[in-house]
């Protein structure tokens, strides 16, 4: 375990496959899906569950933990908060 974390956001399955490929997707254990086609959902999490989501609902998926949980994302991440997280991590990495 090296403590390396990556956050990626893509708008379509085609973009995801172009950027990381099918094999690369397996390296992303934690995945969040919003409403999408049953086929796209099945390709990403081996379940069509994201097709049944209503607006303002999302799925959290962890292959390693075997978790598929529906949740309500209330707001987008505040970029200032995210920058603070990154800066704190950088400070830790420098030590």
């Amino acid at each position: 375990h090296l403590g390396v974390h990556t956050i990626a956001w893509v708008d379509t399955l085609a973009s995801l496959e172009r950027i990381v490929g099918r094999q690369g997707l397996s390296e992303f254990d934690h995945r969040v899906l919003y409403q999408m086609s049953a086929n796209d959902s099945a390709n990403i999490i081996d379940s069509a569950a994201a097709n049944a989501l209503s607006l303002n609902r999302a799925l959290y998926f962890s292959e390693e933990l075997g978790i598929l949980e529906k949740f309500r994302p209330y707001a987008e991440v505040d970029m200032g908060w995210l920058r603070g997280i990154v800066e704190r991590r950088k400070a830790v990495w420098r030590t």
Side-chain angles (χ1 to χ4, degrees), residues 5 7 77-94:
H5 304 279
I7 298 173
V77 172
D78 175 65
M79 292 310 291
W81 174 81
L82 187 56
R83 283 186 202 101
I85 296 284
V86 170
E87 290 304 315
R88 285 192 295 280
R89 295 304 322 159
K90 283 181 182 177
V92 170
W93 296 331
R94 287 184 202 121

Side-chain angles (χ1 to χ4, degrees), residues 50-81:
N51 180 253
L53 292 171
S54 59
L55 290 176
N56 302 315
R57 296 291 187 275
L59 287 176
Y60 165 72
F61 172 77
S62 171
E63 190 169 356
E64 181 180 334
L65 300 175
I67 295 172
L68 182 60
E69 181 177 329
K70 188 181 345 180
F71 70 98
R72 187 181 308 197
Y74 286 99
E76 293 181 20
V77 172
D78 175 65
M79 292 310 291
W81 174 81

Side-chain angles (χ1 to χ4, degrees), residues 14-67:
S15 295
L16 178 65
E17 289 177 340
R18 187 173 47 254
I19 294 167
V20 300
R22 261 188 216 282
Q23 290 288 25
L25 179 60
S26 66
E27 299 299 323
F28 290 85
D29 178 54
H30 303 280
R31 303 172 199 163
V32 174
L33 287 73
Y34 292 89
Q35 188 180 46
M36 62 181 60
S37 73
N39 187 50
D40 287 356
S41 178
N43 279 311
I44 297 171
I45 62 170
D46 295 326
S47 166
N51 180 253
L53 292 171
S54 59
L55 290 176
N56 302 315
R57 296 291 187 275
L59 287 176
Y60 165 72
F61 172 77
S62 171
E63 190 169 356
E64 181 180 334
L65 300 175
I67 295 172

